[in-house]
Amino acid sequence: HDRAVEALTRALPLLDPVGRREIIPFDGAHLVAILRLPRGPGPHPTVVLIPGLDSTKEEFREVERSFLDRGMATFALDGPGQGEAEWTLPIRPDWEIVGSAVLDYLAGVDDVDRDRIGVWGVSLGGYYAARAASTGRALGLRACVSLSGPYDFSTSFDELNPLTRGAFVARSLSANESEARRAAGELSLFGRAEAIDIPLLVVAGQQDRLISWREGARLAEEAPGSEFILIPDGSHGCTNRVYRHRPQAADWMGAHLGLEREAHPNHATKEYQWPR
C-alpha cells in the first residue's frame, strides 16, 4: 500500500491534468484525497469519488477522466477504513458526518465551486454516497451516483467470499467475524433512502455476484425522484460494461451540476452533445 501511494504521489505532477494531494483532518486522524482540475478558469463543479470496501483512490484514473473531460473537477477520496485512512479509522456507517467534514474542507479550496458539488461512489462506496445524500441539501450536495452499492450490507455479509469478508473484518477494525457482522448491520439505508433530497442515479448489474442488483432497485424505489439503470449482463461495478454506464453517469452528473450543454474544451470530439 505504501508503494502504491508513493507511486501515485510521484506521478501527480505528470498527469494531464495534474493532481495534488489534499489532507483533511478528521476524528483525530486525517483523510487523504487527490484533487484534479479540468482546463479552463475555475472555480469548477466538483465530484467527490468514493471507492469501495477493497479499493482506494489510487484506482480512479479512468473514472476521473470521464468527469474531467466534461469540465468537472474530481476529488478522489480515501474515507474511513479505506486506503491511507484504513490504518487509523474504521469503516463507519454515518457518512453524513464524513461528508460534512469533506464539504467543509472543499469550501476552503479556491478552485472548487462550493455550490456545485456532487458525489459518486462504487460498491460499498455506493452506500457511502447514498448515505451522504440522505442529508444532501444540508451538506450542500447537488447530485449523487450510486454504482453497485448495498442497501443493507448485512444481507450480503454471509454470502461474501472469504477474501471480501476478511477485508471487512480488517477495515472495520473488528476482532472477529461475529463483531464484523454486527458492524455490517449498521450499514443500512433503512429510514434514510426516503430522506434523500437531491437527484440520485442508481446503477446496478444484474449479474453482480457480490451485491445483488435488488439492493440498488430497493434504493431507487425508496428514494424520491431517483433514476435507475439496470444492466442485464453487468458484473459488480459493471466493470465489464463500462461503456454502458460511466459516460452516461458523467453526462447526468454534469447536467445536474449546471454545466453548459456544449462540448467542453477537454473533450476529444466536437460531435459530443449533452443529452436533452
Side-chain angles (χ1 to χ4, degrees):
H1 176 248
D2 287 343
R3 291 175 65 188
V5 171
E6 179 187 5
L8 178 59
T9 301
R10 291 174 59 197
L12 290 179
L14 308 176
L15 299 180
D16 182 18
V18 299
R20 71 180 191 231
R21 285 172 61 86
E22 303 283 341
I23 310 297
I24 306 166
F26 183 79
D27 199 19
H30 63 268
L31 310 176
V32 183
I34 301 300
L35 176 66
R36 297 180 70 193
L37 305 172
R39 296 186 183 91
H44 304 280
T46 301
V47 185
V48 178
L49 306 177
I50 308 175
L53 170 62
D54 206 19
S55 56
T56 68
K57 65 185 183 306
E58 283 76 29
E59 301 174 34
F60 275 164
R61 300 296 75 74
E62 289 305 312
V63 178
E64 291 168 346
R65 184 185 303 278
S66 296
F67 296 103
L68 289 164
D69 282 353
R70 289 160 172 78
M72 291 167 274
T74 57
F75 196 73
L77 173 72
D78 281 339
Q82 297 175 314
E84 293 189 61
E86 73 176 85
W87 315 104
T88 53
L89 297 169
I91 286 172
R92 57 187 294 164
D94 54 351
W95 259 70
E96 64 275 14
I97 304 299
V98 183
S100 179
V102 171
L103 268 72
D104 284 349
Y105 179 86
L106 287 174
V109 178
D110 291 340
D111 298 308
V112 170
D113 186 339
R114 180 61 176 80
D115 295 325
R116 293 194 292 168
I117 297 179
V119 60
W120 176 100
V122 59
S123 192
L124 196 54
Y127 162 82
Y128 296 147
R131 180 65 185 255
S134 69
T135 56
R137 288 186 184 176
L139 290 181
L141 289 171
R142 288 276 295 271
C144 172
V145 176
S146 176
L147 170 60
S148 294
Y151 179 97
D152 182 340
F153 195 55
S154 66
T155 63
S156 304
F157 185 82
D158 288 326
E159 304 302 320
L160 297 174
N161 63 72
L163 180 63
T164 303
R165 198 160 57 243
F168 187 83
V169 173
R171 290 173 173 81
S172 62
L173 302 186
S174 298
N176 49 51
E177 281 197 10
S178 295
E179 188 175 311
R181 188 176 290 105
R182 290 193 294 272
E186 297 179 0
L187 279 80
S188 174
L189 292 167
F190 181 75
R192 288 278 178 173
E194 61 263 34
I196 293 176
D197 56 3
I198 59 174
L200 171 69
L201 175 64
V202 181
V203 183
Q206 200 163 3
Q207 304 303 316
D208 190 335
R209 295 192 295 172
L210 197 61
I211 303 294
S212 171
W213 65 271
R214 294 178 177 84
E215 299 277 295
R218 182 177 179 184
L219 169 59
E221 182 179 355
E222 294 184 12
S226 63
E227 300 174 51
F228 183 50
I229 297 176
L230 179 63
I231 300 177
D233 54 351
S235 61
H236 184 59
C238 300
T239 54
N240 63 328
R241 295 292 183 266
V242 167
Y243 63 92
R244 294 187 60 186
H245 66 92
R246 192 178 293 165
Q248 293 88 330
D251 289 344
W252 182 93
M253 182 66 77
H256 284 287
L257 295 188
L259 289 180
E260 295 294 329
R261 294 190 177 200
E262 59 186 23
H264 186 270
N266 282 12
H267 208 276
T269 172
K270 293 181 180 179
E271 286 73 33
Y272 177 79
Q273 293 182 348
W274 289 99
R276 291 179 176 82

